Amino acid sequence: MTINLFDDSCWASLRPLTFTRPVADLRIGILTIAEKWAKYLKADFGFHTQDYLSIKFAPKPNADLFINGSVCPDEALLNAVDKLKAGEVLYKRDVIIAYIADRHDLESVKSLRPLEYTGDFIQIVYPEHIFGNNPVEIRKDFKLLTEGRSSAKISSTNQLLGDDIFLEEGAKAECSVFNTTYGPIYIGKNAEVWEGSLIRGSFALCDNSSIKMGAKIYSGTTIGPNSRAGGEINNSVIWGNSAKGHEGYLGNSVMGEWCNIGADTNNSNLKNNYAEVKLYDYESKKMRNTNLQFCGLIMADHAKTGINTMFNTGSVVGIGANVFGAGFPPNHIPDFSWGGAGGFDAYKLNKMFETTEKVYARKNIVFDEVEKDIVTKVFELTESYRRF
């Protein structure tokens, strides 16, 4: 089977996280949304997304099943999708969930035979929905990835509370405490938990990543592949290829790819007056009420912080931003900004490329023309947000 996952209006409301990817490439739980659907359906997958992203995230030819990339699968939803026939569309209220047709065209979907889905499902519409739904998605992905399989042996130097833990081949952990009574713990291939770490499930450490000594990790946290994490982390998702390797607090947050957080960087996730948290909205260019009491930091790809950086409750850091210096920077730091509480300048694209090439090289990856073209397009798209 071959499927294509399409963006709808959620792509815009999920910015800045989606400036560099389709919605279905967002990680929530252990897998990305696209990987979840592919694993459940035993399918190859492609994307229908923004034109400038399509060179990297291309659609698959000959696919006739189209699935909304903002919708996370579950067993009931899979059963409904599995029953779809050619010329039918599954929807709930104003959300098109999936349809079967000979081509992707959301306008022509109106002519398909409608089938209303009566169940509930998780849809990722805003950035805070990622960490908010991460605990349940870890549980679902844990079952999907481990059911019927045996875990690699875990060292006797560790202390286990409960037994809902799974280690993939090559995973290592020594002298640490794992509490699975609040949710499962998944340790990916060749991932490592260093000595003295305290981890409470639900938790996922993806392939080739590591948790540094003495880390304190709370429920609902995912560390994506090829990443390093340490300090104190609570209910947060790091997409992958990123580093938060030192002391400092990250809570109720989402961190993109190719990010680096300097030592003792902290974010607030609760306002002093316990009021509901607002986040910057790219569509309205205003603050949007999340209706959440706990909401921390949303950091897009390629963003960096210097040591001792402090973020207010509900901060949004744009693509390629470089934040440093004393004091609290504003709640919205525009894409390709350079500075801190004392003010910002535009981060020149050639300078950003110089840094990014070095970051990629450390992981033996080339920052190629495809990646440069995407970043350049995002730089152009975000110009109106940089008013320094």
Side-chain angles (χ1 to χ4, degrees), residues 15-308:
R15 291 175 295 175
L17 299 174
T18 48
F19 270 131
T20 47
R21 59 174 48 84
V23 175
D25 191 56
L26 291 170
R27 187 177 308 281
I28 176 171
I30 303 172
L31 305 169
T32 67
I33 297 172
E35 289 169 344
K36 297 173 195 289
W37 282 104
K39 185 77 173 176
Y40 276 117
L41 296 172
K42 299 179 174 59
D44 193 11
F45 64 89
F47 303 89
H48 282 286
T49 185
Q50 316 305 304
D51 287 344
Y52 74 92
L53 293 172
S54 294
I55 190 170
K56 179 180 179 181
F57 300 96
K60 290 291 184 181
N62 304 318
D64 60 2
L65 176 57
F66 301 92
I67 298 173
N68 190 323
S70 68
V71 175
C72 295
D74 57 42
E75 290 186 10
L77 196 54
L78 286 161
N79 289 334
V81 169
D82 190 53
K83 292 176 183 176
L84 275 177
K85 299 176 181 178
E88 294 181 338
V89 54
L90 185 68
Y91 76 98
K92 183 166 185 178
R93 292 187 291 273
D94 59 344
V95 178
I96 297 170
I97 300 170
Y99 65 93
I100 296 180
D102 57 4
R103 62 191 176 93
H104 172 62
D105 184 349
L106 290 180
E107 283 300 314
S108 67
V109 168
K110 298 173 183 176
S111 65
L112 302 181
R113 178 171 174 258
L115 299 176
E116 185 174 7
Y117 185 69
T118 58
D120 295 322
F121 58 88
I122 291 174
Q123 184 183 23
I124 307 305
V125 180
Y126 295 110
E128 67 270 20
H129 292 168
I130 296 174
F131 68 76
N133 291 292
N134 203 49
V136 67
E137 287 298 316
I138 291 177
R139 288 179 171 87
K140 287 160 57 178
D141 287 352
F142 183 89
K143 180 180 179 182
L144 175 65
L145 292 172
T146 67
E147 194 167 40
R149 300 174 61 218
S150 297
S151 169
K153 185 178 180 181
I154 186 167
S155 170
S156 60
T157 66
N158 298 290
Q159 183 173 354
L160 304 181
L161 288 77
D163 57 5
D164 208 5
I165 185 170
F166 191 97
L167 278 69
E168 296 283 2
E169 180 182 356
K172 298 177 182 178
E174 298 290 350
C175 302
S176 294
V177 177
F178 297 95
N179 183 351
T180 71
T181 61
Y182 293 86
I185 293 175
Y186 176 86
I187 311 296
K189 289 182 180 179
N190 302 316
E192 183 174 5
V193 178
W194 298 8
E195 308 87 86
S197 296
L198 306 174
I199 299 176
R200 172 178 285 202
S202 54
F203 170 72
L205 181 67
C206 296
D207 297 355
N208 304 305
S209 289
S210 58
I211 298 295
K212 294 182 70 176
M213 289 188 295
K216 300 180 286 293
I217 314 291
Y218 299 89
S219 297
T221 294
T222 295
I223 309 301
N226 307 306
S227 296
R228 181 162 290 185
E232 186 177 10
I233 306 176
N234 174 43
N235 185 206
S236 296
V237 176
I238 296 175
W239 193 98
N241 291 311
S242 290
K244 185 230 171 285
H246 303 287
E247 293 300 322
Y249 179 73
L250 182 72
N252 303 101
S253 298
V254 181
M255 192 166 124
E257 193 174 14
W258 306 111
C259 296
N260 187 75
I261 289 183
D264 205 31
T265 291
N266 292 277
N267 79 271
S268 168
N269 65 340
L270 174 67
K271 295 175 72 69
N272 286 355
N273 61 1
Y274 288 63
E276 292 178 340
V277 181
K278 295 180 180 180
L279 283 176
Y280 182 81
D281 180 76
Y282 274 74
E283 292 181 278
S284 65
K285 295 187 178 181
K286 296 178 181 178
M287 303 301 288
R288 171 183 56 81
N289 192 352
T290 65
N291 299 309
L292 297 175
Q293 195 172 60
F294 288 91
C295 183
L297 172 67
I298 306 299
M299 176 177 280
D301 290 4
H302 303 291
K304 311 284 190 295
T305 76
I307 62 170
N308 299 312

